[in-house]
Amino acid sequence: MTTRIVELRRGILKKNDELAAGLRLRFNAAGVLVLNLVSSPGTGKTAFLERTLRELLARGFRAAALVGDLETDNDARRLAASGAPVRQINTHGICHLDAEMISKHLAGWDTVTGANGAELAGLDFLFIENVGNLVCPSSYDLGEKIRVALLSVTEGEDKPLKYPTLFNSADAAVITKIDIAEPCDFDRTLALKNINEIRPGIKIFETSAKTGAGMEEWLAWLAAERAAPERLKS
Amino acid sequence: MTTRIVELRRGILKKNDELAAGLRLRFNAAGVLVLNLVSSPGTGKTAFLERTLRELLARGFRAAALVGDLETDNDARRLAASGAPVRQINTHGICHLDAEMISKHLAGWDTVTGANGAELAGLDFLFIENVGNLVCPSSYDLGEKIRVALLSVTEGEDKPLKYPTLFNSADAAVITKIDIAEPCDFDRTLALKNINEIRPGIKIFETSAKTGAGMEEWLAWLAAERAAPERLKS
């Protein structure tokens, strides 16, 4: 039975990769920088993204978000408070986003504009908040240019070692909730060591969406990546 | 493509349910109470289970554990510190445990005894620590009598609403890390309300593996469940 699953999975991933390659071309043509945010449930992706969107908008950037969840539109409502256009993707039991879901939920964004609409070509940034899961999302390319792995100080420093596929495929790592590092007995040195062991030299941000710590560095990096010459992800 | 996946998934789950039913009969015959612990990565399952095993052993119970992880045997080593027999299941990329993995890793436990061995019929409790994931583990019956959903105070009170399948299929809920509830701005009332909305009347434990808070109530409940007349899960 295992062989059959592995083969089917391979077929699904191949199909996904093809769709994602198409999305990537489309994002490049529109000149929008697309980021895929992956973490456990509860890492604080939504709070981090809400603050990111709000601060980008305040700096005159145009940013939008797609947010994946099994059920509920809680996260879309939280993100929309930033003022950015947001769309919820309900996966109804699927534990990750795939390229097809992204493609479907972009429908209309090529043409629609207005107060809460977004034209893909008019965007500087499109953030995709994945379903909270450290495993399956790592296998599904969504056409993003930058994959961000998030890890909170509450989660245990050995997460990168236990979930190597995610950290291995990430272009940046964000440590969240550093405001509560102390009561959580967070071992910063060990966490940085473990991330670097799985993905040597990866850019790491240490942040708190609550206090704003580390956000300046993150926003400056986003702006620089946005300004960088087009580079296709291999 | 979606239809094909759904159908295959149904077939896999049906096969899993059959294997799990067999395991359940075997566990009942051996008189061992089996619990399946499910949560996000980083909820603190391992710390909670390590303390549970240690305290059960100190009270004269015989307890063992199977622990699932994608890679590494970190958790098995941490759990073995309790003195209980522990076996690691490496899923190598699969994001949940299934009945077949459990069956394979029980091999020998029917006969082997000794310092770090365990005879299934000689056990009072067998704990299965699932892979950190709030989605797929809920679909896979492992033959357990009791499914425990764990949620930490760091994760956000809306988890039960966002991952209803897990909380819906759980027999008990454990809130972990209550020692850091305050710096995490944990809204206890809202968390209890949300759990009860998804699974009305479910038994809820509020615990800290660090301070020991709530452990007495949990251990007393375990002992009572162990002593309760056999009841087959429907």
Side-chain angles (χ1 to χ4, degrees):
Chain A
M1 193 169 68
T2 309
T3 319
R4 200 173 140 220
I5 299 171
V6 169
E7 275 167 15
L8 183 78
R9 192 162 180 271
R10 229 174 257 154
I12 293 169
L13 288 178
K14 189 168 171 283
K15 175 82 180 148
N16 185 77
D17 282 349
E18 288 166 9
L19 277 170
L23 283 174
R24 185 164 290 114
L25 289 173
R26 194 171 154 196
F27 294 147
N28 280 335
V32 55
L33 182 68
V34 181
L35 298 97
N36 177 7
L37 275 54
V38 185
S39 81
S40 284
T43 298
K45 279 187 300 305
T46 311
F48 176 75
L49 181 52
E50 200 273 329
R51 183 151 188 157
T52 300
L53 289 171
R54 195 153 33 85
E55 304 222 4
L56 285 174
L57 262 54
R59 282 160 173 76
F61 289 106
R62 294 149 306 170
L66 291 173
V67 53
D69 268 304
L70 270 72
E71 306 291 343
T72 84
D73 61 348
N74 290 6
D75 286 356
R77 280 187 284 113
R78 284 172 65 196
L79 290 176
S82 67
V86 176
R87 282 187 180 175
Q88 178 81 49
I89 305 178
N90 275 137
T91 64
H92 302 296
I94 309 289
C95 65
H96 57 268
L97 293 177
D98 63 30
E100 197 177 353
M101 297 178 198
I102 300 301
S103 181
K104 269 187 194 162
H105 285 80
L106 287 176
W109 271 14
D110 284 331
T111 47
V112 178
T113 47
N116 215 28
E119 192 180 359
L120 206 55
L123 287 175
D124 297 305
F125 299 96
L126 174 65
F127 294 88
I128 304 171
E129 181 183 335
N130 221 308
V131 177
N133 182 344
L134 287 182
V135 188
C136 306
S138 1
S139 303
Y140 289 83
D141 183 359
L142 305 181
E144 75 270 17
K145 188 170 270 183
I146 296 172
R147 184 174 293 181
V148 184
L150 295 94
L151 171 75
S152 92
V153 300
T154 70
E155 286 178 57
E157 299 80 0
D158 62 347
K159 285 290 156 304
L161 308 181
K162 289 169 74 178
Y163 300 89
T165 25
L166 169 58
F167 285 86
N168 210 12
S169 68
D171 303 294
V174 172
I175 301 176
T176 59
K177 306 190 191 182
I178 60 163
D179 56 291
I180 53 168
E182 209 183 300
C184 291
D185 298 324
F186 179 63
D187 186 337
R188 178 178 177 269
T189 312
L190 182 61
L192 296 181
K193 180 177 162 285
N194 287 342
I195 295 172
N196 269 294
E197 188 175 323
I198 297 299
R199 185 72 158 169
I202 190 175
K203 181 80 189 155
I204 304 175
F205 299 92
E206 301 174 61
T207 68
S208 164
K210 197 169 164 185
T211 66
M215 293 302 293
E216 278 306 324
E217 195 191 344
W218 161 248
L219 293 163
W221 184 78
L222 284 180
E225 287 292 311
R226 176 71 190 73
E230 296 290 338
R231 53 177 172 83
L232 274 172
K233 199 164 176 170
S234 59
Chain B
M1 193 168 70
T2 309
T3 319
R4 200 172 139 222
I5 299 172
V6 169
E7 275 166 15
L8 183 79
R9 190 160 183 269
R10 228 174 257 153
I12 292 169
L13 289 178
K14 190 168 171 283
K15 175 83 180 147
N16 185 77
D17 282 349
E18 288 166 9
L19 276 170
L23 282 175
R24 184 164 289 115
L25 289 172
R26 193 170 155 197
F27 294 146
N28 279 334
V32 55
L33 182 68
V34 180
L35 298 98
N36 177 7
L37 274 53
V38 185
S39 81
S40 284
T43 298
K45 278 186 300 305
T46 310
F48 176 74
L49 181 51
E50 199 272 330
R51 181 149 191 161
T52 300
L53 290 171
R54 194 154 32 87
E55 304 220 6
L56 285 173
L57 262 55
R59 283 160 172 76
F61 289 106
R62 295 150 304 171
L66 292 173
V67 53
D69 268 304
L70 271 71
E71 306 291 344
T72 84
D73 62 349
N74 289 7
D75 287 356
R77 280 186 285 114
R78 283 172 64 196
L79 290 176
S82 67
V86 177
R87 283 187 180 175
Q88 179 81 48
I89 305 178
N90 274 137
T91 64
H92 303 295
I94 308 289
C95 65
H96 56 268
L97 294 176
D98 63 29
E100 196 177 352
M101 298 179 198
I102 301 301
S103 181
K104 270 187 193 160
H105 285 80
L106 287 176
W109 271 14
D110 285 331
T111 48
V112 178
T113 47
N116 216 28
E119 191 178 3
L120 206 54
L123 288 176
D124 296 306
F125 299 97
L126 174 66
F127 294 88
I128 304 172
E129 182 183 335
N130 221 308
V131 177
N133 182 345
L134 287 182
V135 188
C136 306
S138 1
S139 304
Y140 289 83
D141 184 0
L142 305 181
E144 76 270 17
K145 188 169 272 183
I146 296 172
R147 183 174 295 181
V148 184
L150 294 93
L151 171 75
S152 92
V153 299
T154 70
E155 286 178 58
E157 298 81 0
D158 62 348
K159 285 289 156 305
L161 307 181
K162 288 169 75 178
Y163 300 89
T165 24
L166 169 58
F167 285 85
N168 210 12
S169 68
D171 303 294
V174 172
I175 300 175
T176 58
K177 308 192 190 179
I178 59 164
D179 55 292
I180 52 169
E182 210 182 298
C184 292
D185 297 324
F186 179 64
D187 185 337
R188 177 178 178 268
T189 311
L190 181 60
L192 298 180
K193 179 179 163 284
N194 287 343
I195 296 172
N196 269 293
E197 188 174 324
I198 297 298
R199 185 72 157 169
I202 191 175
K203 182 80 188 156
I204 303 174
F205 299 93
E206 299 172 63
T207 68
S208 164
K210 196 169 165 185
T211 66
M215 294 302 293
E216 279 306 323
E217 195 191 343
W218 160 248
L219 293 162
W221 184 78
L222 284 179
E225 287 293 312
R226 175 70 189 75
E230 297 289 340
R231 55 178 171 83
L232 275 171
K233 200 167 175 170
S234 61

